[in-house]
Amino acid sequence: MFSLLAPLCLSFSPVPQIEELWAHPSTDFMYGDFILTLPDINADGYEEVLVTSDSSYEILSGIDGSLLRSHIGRYTIAALTEDLDADGLRDYVLFSTINQISILSSATGQNLFTYNEPIGDLFGYNGIVIPDFTGDGLPELLVSAPYEDWNGKNNLGAVYLVFSDQTPRQVVYRGKRANDKVLIDSYFVSGDFDGDGVLDYAFGAPAADTGSGNGYNSRGFVAVISGSTFSEIVKLDGSWKGQQFGKSLAVSDWNGDGVAELLIGAIEEYQDDGFVAVYESSGWQEIDRITGNNGKRIGTVIVPTDATGDGNEDLLISGSTYLFVASHRTGAILPDEARAYDQGIALANTDLDGDGTNDFFGAQNMGTGTHYIRRYSYTPLALSVTNFAAGANANISIDGASPGDKIYLGYSLTGGGPTSTVFGDVALSSPIQLMGIFTANNSGQVQHSASIPANAIGLNVWMHAYSTNRALFSTLFSGTVG
């Protein structure tokens, strides 16, 4: 049997594996506070990236960071919507607290539609695109007003349903206490949490006082509202002062049960270490937690993606000084990779550099008045097999390890798992055979030749490898002996 199934005591020494591909600098205040990937508007085969700042937004080339378009205005966030001008590219909504909320053409930047709403109470600070209720072909919006007062209480904050046909906006949620400031320094996410087939919406209030008295300031809370009725499904409270529960949110099928889980970030737990908590939506119990260390305040932004290339969804998690990758398979935070500073992350939906994993963008404040948008690629542990034929010597290659890395290579003749091991879930079914434990060369590669019996033609084989230095599973190989 594959020895990974038995308990092992290992010492992990993770190494950096995030490659910086380009950097775009700016001295604009809050540059990179929000980042969104856009369709390929210049037809070079690469997605572009939209960046907001205190005084403008820019669209940068996804391949080299060159400026394609800019517009003056205090825009807070943006969101993709449908292709409203029928040019083959999805368009985008710009939210603003001092300008109107507008839909713009991705291809031309032309204003396609404006939501004529009064400005005040930081209305427009945050928002999300929701389905068209009015039948006019334009989306409706949920929009925050974090500083709205109500019933003698200051700065409760509110969430409004905004219609494209100019029907007066309707309040769908209000904060519970003075200074809850709903959706200040947080954002919306969507998922079908109640199982009715309609997207529901979650949002945070990390500045809220959910306890009693001044000792509980900024405990924070997260509210989930129904997309069918806009009534509150659940309210989840932070635990203690300064926790800022709800600073970040994401939706992911974390436990693989086919139902969306809600991931909630809180940046000031355990001496500013921060954490990301995973809540299942049937009873709203916490089922998993990823905790930072050494005061890195993880949980500012959470982006689910298969960053490691092993076919399983991981998390990109921004902290105050680092950008992390949390592995779904191992449940562990992988190495402190790229320096970031408390600002935006955006995932590119394509593999821009051809290495087998999606790339992403991160905002970085160097502390000198210069801010950067950087494009990164997370190097996968890539397993490949050639000459996979009966009576031949198959060539097995593993790339993306660190020099001297200990690599476990296993195979199965019964399926692609998963099977639980001390390293996480390996993508092999029992019985699992250990092909060998190999040491990566100075280039971080393993090369191995395996003899295939002459009578093995038609045999189905699955192979999977594990890096002890990177605490990372490889991509999966599955093939039929020819």
Side-chain angles (χ1 to χ4, degrees):
M1 295 291 288
F2 191 13
S3 64
L4 288 185
L5 295 176
L8 294 176
C9 189
L10 296 174
S11 175
F12 296 122
S13 302
V15 294
Q17 296 289 344
I18 289 183
E19 176 189 7
E20 181 183 312
L21 303 178
W22 56 255
H24 182 87
S26 173
T27 57
D28 204 342
F29 178 66
M30 295 302 290
Y31 187 74
D33 195 46
F34 182 83
I35 311 173
L36 175 73
T37 50
L38 292 179
D40 175 19
I41 66 175
N42 60 356
D44 64 356
Y46 295 88
E47 291 177 307
E48 324 305 351
V49 55
L50 182 151
V51 183
T52 66
S53 72
D54 189 54
S55 58
S56 68
Y57 81 90
E58 295 181 347
I59 296 178
L60 309 177
S61 164
I63 185 61
D64 61 11
S66 58
L67 181 64
L68 301 179
R69 184 188 305 156
S70 64
H71 189 79
I72 301 299
R74 185 172 293 175
Y75 300 100
T76 50
I77 69 165
L80 285 173
T81 184
E82 301 303 316
D83 176 17
L84 300 180
D85 54 0
D87 61 3
L89 300 176
R90 293 181 67 185
D91 301 309
Y92 58 95
V93 179
L94 277 174
F95 293 85
S96 171
T97 59
I98 59 174
N99 305 90
Q100 295 293 337
I101 300 170
S102 301
I103 303 177
L104 285 81
S105 166
S106 287
T108 66
Q110 178 183 358
N111 191 343
L112 302 177
F113 183 80
T114 296
Y115 295 82
N116 292 317
E117 291 292 332
I119 302 299
D121 299 325
L122 279 188
F123 180 86
Y125 181 81
N126 214 318
I128 189 172
V129 175
I130 66 174
D132 174 20
F133 284 179
T134 60
D136 61 1
L138 294 168
E140 277 38 271
L141 307 174
L142 290 177
V143 181
S144 69
Y147 285 173
E148 179 166 294
D149 304 332
W150 178 255
N151 201 25
K153 298 178 181 178
N154 295 329
N155 301 330
L156 276 78
V159 175
Y160 281 91
L161 175 59
V162 175
F163 299 92
S164 58
D165 65 356
Q166 311 308 322
T167 297
R169 66 188 187 187
Q170 297 178 9
V171 64
V172 297
Y173 190 88
R174 279 197 171 96
K176 311 299 184 185
R177 297 167 178 252
N179 296 309
D180 273 356
K181 300 176 184 176
V182 172
L183 276 155
I184 199 77
D185 293 331
S186 185
Y187 43 86
F188 290 95
V189 294
S190 62
D192 181 12
F193 299 115
D194 57 8
D196 66 355
V198 178
L199 286 177
D200 307 307
Y201 304 97
F203 47 89
D209 178 356
T210 57
S212 57
N214 293 329
Y216 293 89
N217 290 334
S218 297
R219 291 207 320 181
F221 71 80
V222 170
V224 182
I225 60 175
S226 166
S228 299
T229 65
F230 295 104
S231 59
E232 183 178 280
I233 296 174
V234 69
K235 177 174 174 281
L236 304 168
D237 289 337
S239 301
W240 50 76
K241 177 182 177 181
Q243 192 174 64
Q244 296 188 50
F245 188 74
K247 174 71 172 177
S248 57
L249 299 168
V251 175
S252 171
D253 182 10
W254 185 251
N255 60 7
D257 64 355
V259 179
E261 278 78 54
L262 180 62
L263 283 63
I264 302 175
I267 64 173
E268 291 191 339
E269 190 192 42
Y270 302 126
Q271 298 179 345
D272 290 350
D273 288 343
F275 67 87
V276 175
V278 183
Y279 283 82
E280 52 81 25
S281 56
S282 59
W284 294 105
Q285 299 298 309
E286 183 179 335
I287 60 172
D288 204 354
R289 179 173 291 203
I290 301 163
T291 303
N293 54 52
N294 299 323
K296 289 167 184 171
R297 298 179 68 185
I298 72 166
T300 305
V301 182
I302 313 168
V303 178
T305 179
D306 179 15
T308 58
D310 66 356
N312 292 272
E313 193 168 68
D314 308 303
L315 299 178
L316 298 177
I317 305 174
S318 176
S320 60
T321 54
Y322 288 93
L323 181 63
F324 301 87
V325 176
S327 169
H328 189 169
R329 282 195 173 278
T330 65
I333 292 181
L334 299 182
D336 310 349
E337 310 289 10
R339 293 195 176 259
Y341 185 82
D342 216 22
Q343 292 182 290
I345 308 172
L347 174 68
N349 294 317
T350 54
D351 176 14
L352 297 177
D353 61 347
D355 69 351
T357 58
N358 286 344
D359 301 314
F360 56 93
F361 302 89
Q364 178 185 8
N365 181 338
M366 297 297 291
T368 60
T370 300
H371 301 242
Y372 288 88
I373 303 300
R374 301 183 184 273
R375 180 160 73 87
Y376 298 101
S377 176
Y378 193 92
T379 306
L381 189 68
L383 170 62
S384 61
V385 181
T386 59
N387 201 30
F388 198 58
N393 288 321
N395 301 312
I396 302 171
S397 299
I398 302 171
D399 297 279
S402 58
D405 198 350
K406 182 184 292 185
I407 305 294
Y408 287 78
L409 177 61
Y411 71 93
S412 171
L413 304 181
T414 59
T419 299
S420 179
T421 76
V422 292
F423 296 145
D425 290 342
V426 64
L428 300 172
S429 300
S430 294
I432 300 171
Q433 305 297 324
L434 179 64
M435 188 174 294
I437 303 173
F438 305 93
T439 301
N441 62 24
N442 289 336
S443 299
Q445 298 175 319
V446 169
Q447 301 288 337
H448 178 64
S449 179
S451 177
I452 302 178
N455 63 353
I457 190 167
L459 189 67
N460 295 319
V461 180
W462 291 260
M463 296 186 196
H464 210 195
Y466 183 81
S467 159
T468 57
N469 276 12
R470 294 190 63 191
L472 177 67
F473 282 100
S474 71
T475 54
L476 173 67
F477 169 81
S478 63
T480 302
V481 177

